[in-house]
Amino acid sequence: MPREARHSVFEFMLACIVGQYSDLGMARVTFYASLRNYTHWEDFGDMYKVLFALCKGGRDISGFEKNVSKLLIHWLDMALLQIVPSQPQQQTPIPYLSDLMHLLTVIAKFNFALFEEDEVTQMILAAHKAFFSSQHLGDIQACLEFTDIVVRYRFVPFEALTPFLDIVAASSILLSPDAKITKSGHIVSCWPIFLNLLRSHCAHSAILTLCRFLDKQPSRSDSKENMLIKGAITLLSETAWGRTNRMGSESYMVSDSVILMYFKRAAAKGNDEINGIILKSLILLIKSPENNLSLMDWDAVWDIVDAITNYIKKITDNNSNSDVDLFNVNAKSTSSCIHQFACFSQTVIQLYRDKNYKGPLNRLMNVLYELRAYCCDDTASILLNYYVTEHLLLPSSEHWLKLLQEVTSTFYIHANPSTTTATIRLTMLTIVNNVCTSVKDFYSEEIYEAVVIPVTQKLPMETDPDIRQLAIDLTVSSLSDCQNESIFEKMLVILRECAKCRCITADEQHQHHSSLNNKLSSSLRVPAMCGLSELFENLLLASNSKFCEKTFNMITDIANDRSDLACPYGGPKIIALDLLLRFRCLTNHHLFLVDDHVKEENNIISVVRKQQLNKRREAIKQNIFLPAISSKQGPSTRSQPSQEQQEKQPVFHPSPNILSYNERPNEETETVLDINEMLKSYVRVLSHSPNWTVVLFVLKRLPQQLSNKHLFCGAAPYINKLRRRLVKWTSTRKFLESIVNLPPHTKRNDLLVYAYNLLTILISYRRVFTEPKQDQDEIVYAFYIGITQVTSATRLCINSLTVCCHEMPLSVTKMLNEILQRMSQIISVSSVSVHILEFLSSLARLPNLYANFTGDMYKPVFAIALNYLQHSRTQQQQQQQQQPQQSQPQTPQASQHTFPTAEQKEIGQSALKQYVLIMAYLVITIWFTAIPLRERRKHAPFIIQRLLSGISMGKAIDEQTYTCIDMLSRFSFADVSLAPEKSIVSKILMGDGGTSQSTAAVTKQSQRTWIYGHTLLTLRTAKSSGWVEVTIRRPSGTVSMMCYVENKVKSDDIDYRTLPALLMMQYQPDIIAAKFLKDSKEREVTEGNERQAVETAVREVLSEPKLPSGELASAFHNPITQLRKIEPSIDPGFLYLQLNNYPDIGRTLDISPPLANDDATERTLANFDRIPVVDFHKIGVLYVGKGQTREVEILGNTHGSPDYVRFLNALGTIQRLHGRTGNTGGLDREMDIDGRFVYFWKDDVTEAVFHVATLMPTNLERDPQCSAKKRHIGNDYVSIVYNDSGLEYAFDTLPSQFNFINIVVSPHSISTEAVSPSHALAGAENTFFKVEMQRRPDMPNIGPLGEEPKLVSAQSLPSFVRQTAIHANIFAQVFWQSVSTGGKREYMSHWRERLRQILRVKERVTNKGASNNTTSASTTPTIPDNNNNTNASSSKIGKDGYPYEALLDFTKYT
């Protein structure tokens, strides 16, 4: 039958049913039967419509209620037979499947009571078959709607429970948990269906059935089985712990333990999707705040997780490819299990962080431990923190070492770069470091070999700076505590490999513009080298001699490595040199390290210093001991120590068994380091390094280290090599030619300063020179080369030559003539003139150096001083010409107030100019007196001519020139003292021993004073007839003579004094005649007893001298005080010049009456005599004992060390204060208030008294502040400080207004031979002291100590220090005069003051109140400006018409 005909039949049937439904009767059965027997699929649509209409939409099945379910099941089977196997089922629905299921659903809904249980079972099975036959959402929803109707309006038969749960379980997976809307508009969800099922009597069976689903073996191909297992897991978890658990709990309580047990079984199957669903379910369990799991349940959970963990490790091969980000929920993964595990782990970890995790912590950490290869930063931190907190990585745990190895391997050695960041690696390294610190005393070897060596194996390739630094610290710490030689060498090799320099090329340097800090932090080599340095410090502190030697050898290898000489920033080499340059040792050669106080800027060392300081501060905060690097405390101050000083309290002490030198070391206990290798590195750097930074670093510190002579006792070969190199470099001026990056402001010639500084230190090594005489000659010659060209090194060379005069006298003597010739050529250079004159002044006090001088060899000395005087006068004239032009527009007062610092500097320079001028005249004076008397006359014309040649035409001869020429006239013909010392003979003859008031008027009548030229002539007649005392007062001194008038004097008086006086004239009768003088003071001498006294005196003179007893007995043990005959040594020319009108010799003697014989004249002469005729200096001497820093402690010392005593004894001559007539510098000479003895020193023109604090009385009870001592020493401009404290002496330790200069003497290299009397001389030659000068900040540099301290031997120390102190005192007086007057007044010497006093007297006598200008013209000759005379410069004419040089050159008429 055609399709249209069949369709018409079904349309007819449908019309009948719809139109006459209530009247159909048995026709309904007929229509149903026709439908049941009709099986043509093409008409199925018409068939469904007819049946749907026939049963009235499922509401009326009367007549076929027994068969309708079978018919629908049959039709479902027909529909399922239409499935095309090749067509994807999920894309299209099965035809009429959803319609049939809908019809079945409504029929069951309205007619469930009419169906038997078996029929219900068959319908469920048909729905089960249809559900799993289609994957279309509509079909699934239709089937699920049927199951909902079943559980709502009937019950699920036990036989159909399993297929029913299949549908529900599968729908939970196929459909979203959210509700769905069907065609009928009803909401369909699997959860209400399952919950309704749990409310039925099948609840228990349903749960049990779902649990049995979990026991099924997952299929690799059949997704249905897996889906059912997953659905069952979902239903169980959602029922028990999900969002519907409340409704479930009202119907059926599901045991968590049972579910977890079946989950564990399912997890053991190893299916990815199932494990994922299980983890998802576990998340529901642990996230729900209402689920309080017991510990047993938590154990069950972690059992499940353990099984899943093993599965994950299996499928990912324990993350061998480092491509699994297991703990990252955002990571993309094809595995559901991995993703869900990430979510699960995140949930648990969050609970742990929020402290809401109630389960066993060890189970969580065990999982993290098993999955440590997958851990990210968070999980790794949790795991590591747990291990640290629970001490599981310490020996208190059973398998601590194995655990430490494993986590170290995972999180550091073989860390996953995709998940393990540098932070975790740093944390892991910190843990290892802390563990090593904790267990090193018991398990050091085990942990070093098992952990530390593997950890540091790849350290040379490490790029992270923080990790690198910590790894180096770990290595250093381990090496410091290691006792196993094999392990030590392994780790030391690793550290050495890290310290190898790998320099960037020049092109790379231009490409990188990062700062020095960044370059330092990006380099492994410098931190590694710092670690080596720290290691050596630790080993030295621990006195680990064997390992210390190995480390030292490695450091010297790095310092001697040629490959990194060109490193742009110094690299490891500069760090190695930094350590080596801090080496010092004591006299017993035991080594220690000192702190480096040299400030560095823009240097790799400055960055390292800051890092070390920060590290030390952090260590102090954490109470971790780190050794400081200072053996001595800094300068003494009264302020509280700074934070940095407090941090340096732990100090190094000399190592007991690590030495720098020992001829016979004990190999078992002592180790001698090869100091030659250390010196070799310095020489190599200076010879070959092109890097100015490294070279300058060595040059700044090497002199300080070389001054520690005991350090280099065993390094004589390289000391000599260094000396040869320096001599060669300085002699050829090729020092540091290899330097390529010299700063633009630094000149090549300036570099010689460093070379000469080193050579100066090497002077003290003269004893180890290979060929002492030749080597010393070479050093002196090198200094001579330094003054042949004026550079910044010239001043240093002159000062060094001063030291050589004391230490290498024979070599200086050999070159002295050339040195003097060269100095005469450069004396006009202002920067060196003062040092040249000081050199000459010091040289004059060392007569052995010029003992072989002949007549003309003295001329260069005078030429030097005279050349400077000419140069100085020329400069003064130029300044006087320029001054009027410059002074008009300026306002000096404003500038003084605006720029006080500049003003002080100007005053200081002005004082320095005065000082140099004074030194020039002083050099002439002391050298002229140093010439043998027979040679002096030859040099006087030369000196006078040169003195006058520098004076311009029309200018007055200055006072200093007059005093200098007066000195020449005094010493040219006699070696007499500058002031007379009245003998006992003079006192007897003149009656000075007991003059009474009754004879005062007679005395006045017997004395007259005349003034002529520059002379005050006083004649005084004696009480004895015929005797006259002649006193000649001149600027440079006073001469007193006793004259006897041989002509017979008519007198009736009997002369009882002449005979004994005549007898004693040939002797020095001070001792024997003292008794006579003493008796004359005690009683009035009468004529009778006077005769007896004379006879007694004569007898005593002619008899052998008797030594007195008592207090003065000790003075007579000196043979000098015995009577001895005086050889005549006075030339008649001396007397002629003293009595002549010199220097106004060209005109007749001034016709002037004698001075009035009154009190005013007496006061004038008395005041004049009070002006010293010599340069007098008072210098303080302090002794600073061990550890003393305070003023009272130092002043309270009553004695010093043996070396101090030897120094004092050679500094001057000790003399008794009581009864002393000369100047004592303010010390009491009557009552012994300031002590009984004092040290004096003098020569022809200079005297010095030393205020020695230890010789002054000390009474701390009456004078706790030692004010009696300070009133003398505190008023001294210069103090010599013998510093035996072992500390730096602070300049303001003894504060005073006049504390200008301190000369600090510190024992530096004490020879062990000095303590042996048989080797005392050798000990003095090899014992050296550091001598340095401290001065006020506003004072310029003077003397050989102005810039750098000097090393001086004990043999030369007293003379060197004394001469330096005298020069310093001269300058201090000049400086104080300038400062106190604001630079308005110049310093006035004693001779100039005496000259001015004479001129004032002459002015008062000769001019009777004339004006000052007239007085000046008449008393101070001038040199006229004779422009017409071509020979004016050589024959200057005085006012009297005589050539002035002829007048002043006394040699022409004597």
Side-chain angles (χ1 to χ4, degrees):
M1 182 183 296
R3 172 72 179 88
E4 291 79 4
R6 296 196 301 274
H7 179 67
S8 298
V9 174
F10 283 111
E11 287 290 336
F12 171 75
M13 293 173 65
L14 183 60
C16 292
I17 293 171
V18 173
Q20 302 179 13
Y21 184 81
S22 57
D23 299 328
L24 288 178
M26 292 303 295
R28 296 179 72 253
V29 178
T30 302
F31 289 151
Y32 174 77
S34 62
L35 293 174
R36 186 183 59 182
N37 297 325
Y38 192 78
T39 58
H40 205 293
W41 178 253
E42 291 181 357
D43 301 330
F44 191 80
D46 294 333
M47 295 166 60
Y48 175 79
K49 292 179 182 179
V50 172
L51 181 59
F52 189 82
L54 185 64
C55 64
K56 204 176 182 179
R59 288 176 173 81
D60 185 9
I61 57 172
S62 58
F64 44 85
E65 62 274 2
K66 297 297 185 182
N67 297 317
V68 68
S69 61
K70 296 179 180 179
L71 176 64
L72 290 176
I73 293 171
H74 175 67
W75 282 4
L76 285 173
D77 293 336
M78 290 177 59
L80 296 177
L81 291 175
Q82 306 303 317
I83 299 175
V84 181
S86 60
Q87 184 178 1
Q89 299 178 8
Q90 66 274 18
Q91 294 182 359
T92 57
I94 299 176
Y96 304 108
L97 178 61
S98 60
D99 295 330
L100 291 173
M101 288 304 303
H102 176 67
L103 182 58
L104 181 63
T105 299
V106 294
I107 289 175
K109 177 180 180 181
F110 296 110
N111 304 282
F112 244 136
L114 303 177
F115 297 111
E116 297 291 337
E117 187 174 333
D118 182 62
E119 291 178 314
V120 175
T121 301
Q122 293 301 320
M123 288 190 291
I124 292 175
L125 291 175
H128 177 272
K129 183 177 181 181
F131 182 88
F132 288 100
S133 297
S134 175
Q135 295 185 9
H136 188 267
L137 185 59
D139 296 341
I140 293 174
Q141 288 267 7
C143 297
L144 193 60
E145 187 176 0
F146 170 74
T147 58
D148 183 44
I149 293 301
V150 171
V151 77
R152 285 177 183 271
Y153 294 95
R154 189 68 185 268
F155 59 89
V156 180
F158 286 104
E159 294 81 359
L161 184 59
T162 298
F164 183 87
L165 289 174
D166 286 347
I167 296 173
V168 177
S171 64
S172 66
I173 301 301
L174 295 175
L175 300 179
S176 171
D178 298 330
K180 301 295 180 181
I181 300 177
T182 63
K183 292 181 179 180
S184 61
H186 295 155
I187 297 176
V188 179
S189 175
C190 65
W191 303 115
I193 299 172
F194 185 67
L195 290 176
N196 288 331
L197 179 63
L198 294 180
R199 293 187 183 99
S200 67
H201 65 283
C202 301
H204 178 74
S205 300
I207 295 298
L208 184 59
T209 301
L210 289 176
C211 289
R212 288 173 179 171
F213 282 1
L214 303 183
D215 288 334
K216 295 180 180 180
Q217 184 65 34
S219 174
R220 295 184 179 179
S221 57
D222 186 4
S223 61
K224 175 184 175 183
E225 294 296 331
N226 297 343
M227 182 169 56
L228 292 179
I229 296 174
K230 293 189 291 181
I233 294 171
T234 303
L235 291 175
L236 289 172
S237 61
E238 189 68 26
T239 301
W241 316 308
R243 55 184 176 176
T244 59
N245 61 345
R246 287 187 177 182
M247 291 184 292
S249 62
E250 295 173 0
S251 57
Y252 188 79
M253 296 295 296
V254 183
S255 172
D256 295 338
S257 300
V258 173
I259 297 177
L260 292 174
M261 179 184 67
Y262 280 99
F263 279 8
K264 178 181 178 181
R265 295 178 184 177
K269 305 292 194 306
N271 183 273
D272 186 81
E273 294 182 351
I274 293 175
N275 286 341
I277 293 296
I278 292 175
L279 290 171
K280 188 177 181 180
S281 301
L282 293 180
I283 293 173
L284 291 176
L285 172 62
I286 62 178
K287 284 183 70 174
S288 176
E290 299 178 0
N291 295 320
N292 296 321
L293 294 178
S294 65
L295 288 178
M296 293 183 61
D297 292 339
W298 272 113
D299 282 333
V301 170
W302 287 118
D303 289 341
I304 297 169
V305 175
D306 288 343
I308 297 175
T309 296
N310 294 330
Y311 168 76
I312 293 175
K313 292 171 62 177
K314 180 180 179 180
I315 63 174
T316 59
D317 193 18
N318 201 23
N319 203 18
S320 58
N321 296 327
S322 301
D323 56 352
V324 180
D325 196 358
L326 184 60
F327 294 93
N328 184 4
V329 295
N330 298 320
K332 295 181 180 179
S333 176
T334 58
S335 172
S336 171
C337 178
I338 291 177
H339 174 72
Q340 292 299 332
F341 188 88
C343 298
F344 173 80
S345 62
Q346 186 184 46
T347 302
V348 177
I349 289 171
Q350 190 60 44
L351 288 174
Y352 173 76
R353 287 176 176 168
D354 296 341
K355 298 182 180 180
N356 293 326
Y357 175 72
K358 306 301 182 181
L361 188 58
N362 63 318
R363 296 299 301 271
L364 168 61
M365 297 306 166
N366 287 341
V367 171
L368 295 181
Y369 167 75
E370 291 294 331
L371 297 175
R372 61 188 180 277
Y374 308 84
C375 283
C376 59
D377 278 8
D378 292 342
T379 51
S381 298
I382 292 173
L383 179 63
L384 295 177
N385 290 336
Y386 170 74
Y387 286 156
V388 172
T389 304
E390 298 297 326
H391 298 170
L392 297 179
L393 300 177
L394 294 176
S396 56
S397 179
E398 183 177 0
H399 303 291
W400 68 276
L401 186 59
K402 181 181 178 181
L403 180 62
L404 182 62
Q405 282 182 279
E406 290 175 347
V407 294
T408 303
S409 175
T410 301
F411 296 119
Y412 186 83
I413 301 174
H414 303 107
N416 183 354
S418 62
T419 58
T420 306
T421 63
T423 304
I424 289 300
R425 297 183 68 234
L426 186 61
T427 303
M428 185 68 249
L429 197 57
T430 304
I431 294 173
V432 172
N433 192 13
N434 295 338
V435 171
C436 288
T437 304
S438 303
V439 306
K440 63 183 178 182
D441 294 334
F442 302 100
Y443 301 94
S444 59
E445 294 187 10
E446 292 87 344
I447 196 169
Y448 293 159
E449 200 148 17
V451 179
V452 176
I453 293 179
V455 162
T456 58
Q457 202 72 44
K458 296 182 180 180
L459 182 56
M461 284 77 74
E462 182 59 56
T463 57
D464 187 270
D466 295 330
I467 295 176
R468 182 174 61 230
Q469 184 61 57
L470 185 56
I472 290 172
D473 293 342
L474 171 62
T475 307
V476 171
S477 175
S478 302
L479 284 167
S480 302
D481 300 311
C482 182
Q483 302 298 324
N484 186 290
E485 186 173 358
S486 175
I487 296 175
F488 182 87
E489 290 181 350
K490 288 180 182 178
M491 291 191 290
L492 190 63
V493 169
I494 294 172
L495 197 58
R496 172 66 178 95
E497 186 66 24
C498 295
K500 281 186 177 179
C501 185
R502 294 172 175 82
C503 296
I504 60 176
T505 62
D507 295 336
E508 291 173 337
Q509 292 182 43
H510 292 297
Q511 294 174 3
H512 300 290
H513 301 284
S514 58
S515 65
L516 184 61
N517 284 318
N518 294 333
K519 289 184 179 294
L520 177 63
S521 62
S522 63
S523 170
L524 169 66
R525 318 309 157 199
V526 171
M529 190 60 239
C530 292
L532 268 175
S533 177
E534 181 183 346
L535 170 63
F536 182 84
E537 295 177 12
N538 296 339
L539 294 174
L540 185 65
L541 182 65
S543 299
N544 193 330
S545 58
K546 190 174 183 180
F547 292 162
C548 197
E549 183 181 17
K550 292 179 181 291
T551 308
F552 174 81
N553 293 336
M554 185 165 289
I555 292 172
T556 54
D557 287 343
I558 295 173
N560 283 297
D561 189 3
R562 289 178 176 268
S563 62
D564 61 347
L565 284 172
C567 182
Y569 298 102
K573 183 179 290 295
I574 198 171
I575 306 298
L577 292 171
D578 174 54
L579 175 72
L580 297 179
L581 287 165
R582 293 193 287 114
F583 271 67
R584 301 291 187 272
C585 74
L586 301 178
T587 55
N588 57 5
H589 303 105
H590 289 260
L591 284 169
F592 61 93
L593 295 172
V594 298
D595 196 3
D596 184 6
H597 294 292
V598 180
K599 294 183 179 180
E600 293 289 345
E601 297 179 358
N602 300 324
N603 188 312
I604 194 172
I605 288 296
S606 63
V607 180
V608 171
R609 293 273 188 273
K610 292 178 182 177
Q611 291 180 351
Q612 290 175 343
L613 180 59
N614 294 334
K615 183 178 179 181
R616 188 166 289 107
R617 286 175 177 170
E618 291 297 326
I620 291 175
K621 290 180 181 178
Q622 300 173 8
N623 294 324
I624 299 175
F625 173 74
L626 281 178
I629 49 177
S630 176
S631 66
K632 297 181 180 180
Q633 299 179 7
S636 173
T637 58
R638 283 173 295 279
S639 60
Q640 292 295 327
S642 63
Q643 181 180 0
E644 295 184 11
Q645 291 174 337
Q646 292 176 353
E647 292 167 359
K648 294 179 182 177
Q649 288 178 357
V651 297
F652 276 117
H653 298 284
S655 175
N657 55 1
I658 302 174
L659 309 141
S660 64
Y661 172 73
N662 194 346
E663 293 181 354
R664 295 179 296 275
N666 188 337
E667 296 182 357
E668 295 182 358
T669 59
E670 293 181 345
T671 297
V672 179
L673 302 184
D674 190 358
I675 303 300
N676 270 302
E677 288 296 314
M678 186 171 73
L679 266 178
K680 179 181 177 181
S681 66
Y682 304 155
V683 175
R684 179 162 292 176
V685 167
L686 298 180
S687 302
H688 304 292
S689 177
N691 189 346
W692 171 243
T693 302
V694 178
V695 172
L696 181 63
F697 183 84
V698 174
L699 290 174
K700 284 182 176 181
R701 293 160 176 81
L702 183 54
Q704 300 175 10
Q705 189 180 51
L706 285 174
S707 64
N708 184 211
K709 292 176 69 268
H710 293 286
L711 180 64
F712 300 97
C713 286
Y718 267 90
I719 285 289
N720 281 282
K721 185 173 183 178
L722 177 62
R723 182 202 58 79
R724 288 192 297 270
R725 292 287 180 90
L726 289 171
V727 169
K728 180 181 178 181
W729 289 330
T730 54
S731 300
T732 59
R733 297 190 180 274
K734 293 183 178 180
F735 184 52
L736 302 180
E737 280 192 325
S738 58
I739 298 294
V740 296
N741 60 337
L742 196 66
H745 61 275
T746 303
K747 299 178 182 179
R748 286 281 176 180
N749 284 336
D750 295 340
L751 302 182
L752 291 171
V753 173
Y754 299 104
Y756 283 119
N757 199 10
L758 291 173
L759 267 181
T760 305
I761 298 296
L762 291 180
I763 294 173
S764 60
Y765 287 85
R766 63 184 186 276
R767 195 176 181 186
V768 301
F769 290 167
T770 307
E771 300 179 5
K773 182 64 174 72
Q774 180 181 349
D775 294 345
Q776 292 181 34
D777 291 347
E778 290 178 355
I779 289 181
V780 174
Y781 177 75
F783 289 130
Y784 165 72
I785 295 297
I787 66 174
T788 57
Q789 181 179 348
V790 178
T791 64
S792 56
T794 305
R795 178 171 52 188
L796 175 59
C797 291
I798 297 171
N799 293 333
S800 299
L801 284 172
T802 303
V803 179
C804 291
C805 290
H806 294 268
E807 304 295 340
M808 300 178 177
L810 296 179
S811 297
V812 174
T813 301
K814 187 176 180 180
M815 290 289 301
L816 188 55
N817 206 19
E818 290 81 359
I819 292 172
L820 296 177
Q821 291 289 347
R822 181 54 192 163
M823 286 183 174
S824 66
Q825 299 171 8
I826 63 173
I827 185 62
S828 60
V829 180
S830 59
S831 60
V832 300
S833 56
V834 62
H835 301 281
I836 292 175
L837 294 171
E838 288 176 332
F839 169 81
L840 294 177
S841 176
S842 300
L843 181 64
R845 266 86 179 204
L846 300 171
N848 291 335
L849 272 71
Y850 54 88
N852 297 327
F853 268 26
T854 58
D856 292 338
M857 295 178 71
Y858 290 96
K859 272 192 175 181
V861 178
F862 298 118
I864 293 172
L866 293 168
N867 287 348
Y868 177 77
L869 292 176
Q870 289 182 341
H871 171 71
S872 176
R873 287 168 181 154
T874 303
Q875 280 190 327
Q876 289 178 359
Q877 293 169 9
Q878 293 176 354
Q879 291 177 358
Q880 290 173 0
Q881 294 174 0
Q882 296 175 0
Q883 187 174 3
Q885 301 175 0
Q886 296 177 354
S887 60
Q888 293 177 358
Q890 296 180 351
T891 56
Q893 295 180 354
S895 63
Q896 289 177 0
H897 294 287
T898 308
F899 304 101
T901 303
E903 180 186 1
Q904 292 178 358
K905 185 176 180 181
E906 183 179 354
I907 292 175
Q909 292 300 319
S910 174
L912 182 61
K913 291 179 181 179
Q914 295 182 53
Y915 170 68
V916 179
L917 197 62
I918 292 171
M919 288 300 298
Y921 285 103
L922 179 63
V923 166
I924 296 174
T925 301
I926 59 178
W927 270 94
F928 191 76
T929 58
I931 301 175
L933 185 60
R934 62 184 180 275
E935 300 287 342
R936 294 178 188 174
R937 181 188 180 98
K938 301 176 183 178
H939 295 278
F942 169 74
I943 298 174
I944 295 173
Q945 187 271 332
R946 294 292 297 274
L947 281 173
L948 298 177
S949 63
I951 302 176
S952 302
M953 296 297 178
K955 298 293 183 180
I957 300 177
D958 60 275
E959 296 170 341
Q960 287 177 308
T961 301
Y962 267 130
T963 57
C964 184
I965 296 176
D966 187 61
M967 177 275 303
L968 296 176
S969 68
R970 175 175 300 276
F971 287 109
S972 291
F973 303 101
D975 267 325
V976 296
S977 63
L978 297 179
E981 294 182 7
K982 294 299 182 69
S983 65
I984 192 65
V985 174
S986 173
K987 295 179 180 179
I988 293 174
L989 293 175
M990 301 305 297
D992 292 339
T995 304
S996 62
Q997 294 181 355
S998 61
T999 60
V1002 178
T1003 303
K1004 290 185 179 180
Q1005 295 297 326
S1006 62
Q1007 175 177 314
R1008 294 288 188 276
T1009 300
W1010 290 266
I1011 184 168
Y1012 58 92
H1014 294 165
T1015 305
L1016 287 172
L1017 174 63
T1018 299
L1019 300 178
R1020 186 160 68 108
T1021 58
K1023 293 179 66 176
S1024 298
S1025 177
W1027 287 96
V1028 179
E1029 182 186 50
V1030 181
T1031 304
I1032 305 165
R1033 295 176 173 88
R1034 300 280 286 273
S1036 62
T1038 299
V1039 174
S1040 179
M1041 298 178 288
M1042 292 297 299
C1043 299
Y1044 181 71
V1045 180
E1046 293 289 344
N1047 301 69
K1048 186 175 181 181
V1049 179
K1050 295 181 180 182
S1051 175
D1052 295 333
D1053 297 334
I1054 300 175
D1055 187 2
Y1056 295 100
R1057 299 173 180 265
T1058 303
L1059 179 59
L1062 289 174
L1063 292 174
M1064 290 185 288
M1065 286 294 289
Q1066 299 299 316
Y1067 299 91
Q1068 291 183 349
D1070 294 348
I1071 299 172
I1072 298 177
K1075 185 175 183 300
F1076 176 79
L1077 181 62
K1078 182 177 180 182
D1079 294 339
S1080 66
K1081 290 182 179 178
E1082 291 177 353
R1083 67 183 184 276
E1084 192 72 26
V1085 180
T1086 62
E1087 183 175 340
N1089 58 25
E1090 185 176 354
R1091 181 187 301 271
Q1092 183 180 358
V1094 171
E1095 292 175 355
T1096 303
V1098 171
R1099 284 196 301 271
E1100 291 181 352
V1101 168
L1102 297 178
S1103 64
E1104 292 295 326
K1106 297 180 180 179
L1107 296 180
S1109 59
E1111 184 178 354
L1112 296 178
S1114 60
F1116 289 85
H1117 292 296
N1118 190 345
I1120 298 177
T1121 62
Q1122 305 275 343
L1123 296 178
R1124 63 183 178 85
K1125 193 168 183 178
I1126 304 299
E1127 296 295 333
S1129 60
I1130 298 179
D1131 189 283
F1134 171 77
L1135 298 175
Y1136 171 77
L1137 289 176
Q1138 297 302 313
L1139 297 172
N1140 211 315
N1141 197 29
Y1142 189 81
D1144 292 340
I1145 201 169
R1147 52 180 169 168
T1148 59
L1149 188 66
D1150 292 335
I1151 306 299
S1152 60
L1155 300 181
N1157 194 12
D1158 54 10
D1159 292 339
T1161 300
E1162 284 192 13
R1163 286 195 301 270
T1164 299
L1165 295 179
N1167 291 335
F1168 184 87
D1169 290 337
R1170 288 191 186 97
I1171 303 175
V1173 293
V1174 295
D1175 287 335
F1176 186 81
H1177 305 280
K1178 52 190 186 73
I1179 299 168
V1181 179
L1182 296 170
Y1183 176 79
V1184 185
K1186 292 292 183 182
Q1188 291 181 344
T1189 57
R1190 295 169 54 244
E1191 173 185 322
V1192 176
E1193 293 175 337
I1194 297 170
L1195 291 176
N1197 289 325
T1198 58
H1199 62 275
S1201 64
D1203 284 335
Y1204 166 73
V1205 174
R1206 283 190 286 269
F1207 169 73
L1208 276 184
N1209 289 335
L1211 190 64
T1213 303
I1214 191 167
Q1215 296 184 13
R1216 186 75 168 87
L1217 269 174
H1218 182 73
R1220 180 177 174 82
T1221 58
N1223 194 338
T1224 61
L1227 298 177
D1228 175 68
R1229 45 193 171 189
E1230 298 294 336
M1231 305 297 295
D1232 292 338
I1233 295 175
D1234 298 316
R1236 299 179 62 195
F1237 299 95
V1238 70
Y1239 280 92
F1240 283 94
W1241 179 88
K1242 69 176 182 177
D1243 62 6
D1244 291 332
V1245 295
T1246 306
E1247 288 185 6
V1249 60
F1250 297 97
H1251 292 160
V1252 183
T1254 53
L1255 291 181
M1256 297 180 182
T1258 303
N1259 191 331
L1260 296 179
E1261 294 182 359
R1262 289 190 301 176
D1263 186 10
Q1265 299 301 320
C1266 297
S1267 302
K1269 293 185 178 183
K1270 189 174 180 180
R1271 71 188 179 94
H1272 294 292
I1273 300 175
N1275 288 319
D1276 294 336
Y1277 294 116
V1278 178
S1279 295
I1280 299 173
V1281 181
Y1282 193 97
N1283 184 18
D1284 230 348
S1285 66
L1287 309 172
E1288 294 292 334
Y1289 182 81
F1291 177 73
D1292 58 348
T1293 302
L1294 194 71
S1296 169
Q1297 182 182 2
F1298 302 102
N1299 184 16
F1300 287 174
I1301 296 175
N1302 291 335
I1303 298 174
V1304 183
V1305 178
S1306 303
H1308 206 64
S1309 297
I1310 306 301
S1311 173
T1312 54
E1313 297 172 327
V1315 299
S1316 173
S1318 60
H1319 297 84
L1321 181 59
E1325 290 180 352
N1326 203 37
T1327 297
F1328 281 80
F1329 294 79
K1330 183 179 76 170
V1331 186
E1332 60 181 327
M1333 178 182 289
Q1334 299 175 343
R1335 65 187 188 280
R1336 269 180 39 160
D1338 53 347
M1339 296 183 74
N1341 285 336
I1342 61 165
L1345 305 175
E1347 296 177 345
E1348 294 290 339
K1350 297 294 186 295
L1351 286 183
V1352 182
S1353 64
Q1355 187 178 18
S1356 305
L1357 181 68
S1359 59
F1360 179 82
V1361 171
R1362 179 178 59 241
Q1363 191 57 43
T1364 304
I1366 289 174
H1367 290 166
N1369 197 62
I1370 295 173
F1371 176 69
Q1373 295 177 61
V1374 176
F1375 179 80
W1376 174 243
Q1377 185 69 30
S1378 298
V1379 170
S1380 60
T1381 61
K1384 297 178 181 179
R1385 290 179 57 187
E1386 63 177 339
Y1387 172 75
M1388 189 68 60
S1389 67
H1390 298 317
W1391 288 357
R1392 289 182 64 187
E1393 184 62 32
R1394 289 168 64 93
L1395 175 61
R1396 289 192 175 186
Q1397 288 280 15
I1398 293 173
L1399 294 179
R1400 290 192 191 103
V1401 174
K1402 189 174 183 179
E1403 175 187 354
R1404 186 170 64 248
V1405 172
T1406 60
N1407 295 299
K1408 303 297 183 181
S1411 64
N1412 291 333
N1413 293 334
T1414 306
T1415 302
S1416 177
S1418 63
T1419 60
T1420 306
T1422 60
I1423 298 177
D1425 189 359
N1426 188 357
N1427 295 327
N1428 298 325
N1429 188 357
T1430 57
N1431 296 324
S1433 61
S1434 61
S1435 58
K1436 299 172 183 176
I1437 307 301
K1439 294 190 307 178
D1440 301 314
Y1442 295 95
Y1444 209 75
E1445 292 175 8
L1447 294 177
L1448 293 178
D1449 186 1
F1450 51 83
T1451 61
K1452 298 183 183 299
Y1453 44 84
T1454 52

